[in-house]
């Protein structure tokens, strides 16, 4: 994940006061990590790739923004499955909201690069998680099922981030479609509480 802060960092006092832009960057090495090709962006819309000489290009900064997941896996067809958080629309009971949701990406190797598709999305209403879905972690189970675990913040909409939970979803068709996100619970259906951390793995 690459995060670019734009503004006068020295005088900001707090980086949270500066606008920032998140992107998912990947590179290839053909010599076991000694050197790497130019940075490329995982894309879901038309936009520029990262250029360190012109890092503030708005065609880069404002396009394909996403808080990248921190792992990936493969399906039975050897497609790379990857997830990230971005701004998405959620509609439920006639109410449409902009939320932080999960984009599921599938990368097909073409011999020199990955051709990316974004076939599926996961969202929850703000009444369940005021910060949306966060920090997705993907695994492939023994039977080929793809499983994703995600953190939410229950009470953010009430000005309190005290309660945090884990949610999950799964795909039985190689990542094309996913079950609605559900709470991760103990055997007695008590929801799993979580600190503000990355995946439980």
């Amino acid at each position: 994940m690459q995060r670019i802060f734009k503004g006068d960092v020295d005088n900001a006092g707090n980086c949270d006061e500066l606008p920032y832009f998140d992107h998912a960057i990947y590179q290839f090495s053909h010599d076991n990590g000694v050197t790497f090709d130019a940075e490329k962006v995982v894309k879901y819309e038309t936009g520029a790739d990262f250029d360190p000489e012109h890092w503030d290009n708005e065609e880069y900064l404002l396009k394909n923004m996403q808080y990248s997941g921190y792992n990936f896996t493969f399906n039975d067809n050897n497609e790379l499955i990857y997830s990230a958080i971005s701004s998405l629309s959620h509609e439920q009971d006639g109410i449409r909201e902009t939320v932080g949701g999960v984009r599921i990406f599938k990368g097909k190797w073409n011999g020199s690069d990955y051709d990316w598709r974004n076939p599926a999305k996961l969202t929850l209403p703000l009444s369940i998680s005021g910060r949306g879905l966060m920090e997705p972690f993907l695994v492939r189970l023994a039977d080929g099922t793809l499983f994703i675990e995600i953190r939410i913040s229950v009470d953010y909409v009430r000005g309190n981030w005290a309660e945090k939970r884990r949610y999950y979803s799964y795909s039985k068709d190689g990542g094309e479609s996913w079950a609605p996100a559900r709470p991760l619970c103990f055997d007695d259906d008590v929801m799993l509480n979580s600190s503000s951390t990355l995946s439980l793995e």
Side-chain angles (χ1 to χ4, degrees):
M1 190 189 89
Q2 178 201 69
R3 173 168 289 180
I4 292 178
F5 290 96
K6 190 173 182 181
D8 188 350
V9 177
D10 290 335
N11 296 326
N14 181 350
C15 285
D16 291 338
E17 297 174 5
L18 295 175
Y20 61 85
F21 308 87
D22 292 342
H23 293 84
I25 303 291
Y26 67 102
Q27 295 175 268
F28 294 110
S29 174
H30 307 283
D31 52 16
N32 292 318
V34 177
T35 61
F36 285 86
D37 293 343
E39 297 94 338
K40 297 185 178 183
V41 180
V42 178
K43 294 181 179 179
Y44 55 85
E45 61 184 348
T46 301
D49 279 309
F50 177 67
D51 179 354
E53 299 297 322
H54 304 283
W55 60 266
D56 58 347
N57 176 11
E58 290 196 352
E59 278 299 303
Y60 170 70
L61 290 182
L62 301 178
K63 299 292 182 69
N64 297 296
M65 290 192 295
Q66 55 187 296
Y67 182 99
S68 62
Y70 51 101
N71 79 319
F72 60 87
T73 189
F74 292 89
N75 64 15
D76 288 334
N77 296 324
N78 210 32
E79 294 172 304
L80 190 153
I81 311 297
Y82 164 80
S83 61
I85 305 301
S86 69
S87 181
L88 292 171
S89 177
H90 177 88
E91 188 167 356
Q92 184 174 327
D93 301 326
I95 299 173
R96 179 173 292 176
E97 302 172 309
T98 299
V99 301
V102 175
R103 288 183 184 271
I104 302 293
F105 291 92
K106 297 181 73 173
K108 185 71 173 179
W109 184 248
N110 63 23
S112 60
D113 197 355
Y114 282 100
D115 295 322
W116 294 103
R117 292 193 300 117
N118 174 213
K121 303 173 182 66
L122 294 168
T123 60
L124 288 173
L126 295 176
S127 59
I128 293 180
S129 179
R131 297 186 72 194
L133 300 171
M134 294 171 284
E135 296 151 1
F137 185 84
L138 282 163
V139 294
R140 183 177 181 272
L141 305 181
D143 66 355
T145 299
L146 297 172
F147 179 91
I148 189 168
E149 187 265 345
I150 321 150
R151 182 171 64 84
I152 71 164
S153 287
V154 176
D155 282 352
Y156 180 69
V157 290
R158 296 192 292 275
N160 180 0
W161 295 1
E163 288 188 54
K164 299 167 185 68
R165 307 291 189 195
R166 317 303 293 204
Y167 268 58
Y168 74 95
S169 179
Y170 59 89
S171 172
K172 294 284 191 178
D173 58 7
E176 289 294 308
S177 62
W178 293 72
R182 300 180 55 188
L184 188 60
C185 298
F186 293 102
D187 291 342
D188 58 2
D189 292 331
V190 173
M191 291 179 65
L192 178 66
N193 196 22
S194 169
S195 60
S196 184
T197 58
L198 303 179
S199 174
L200 302 177
E201 299 185 45

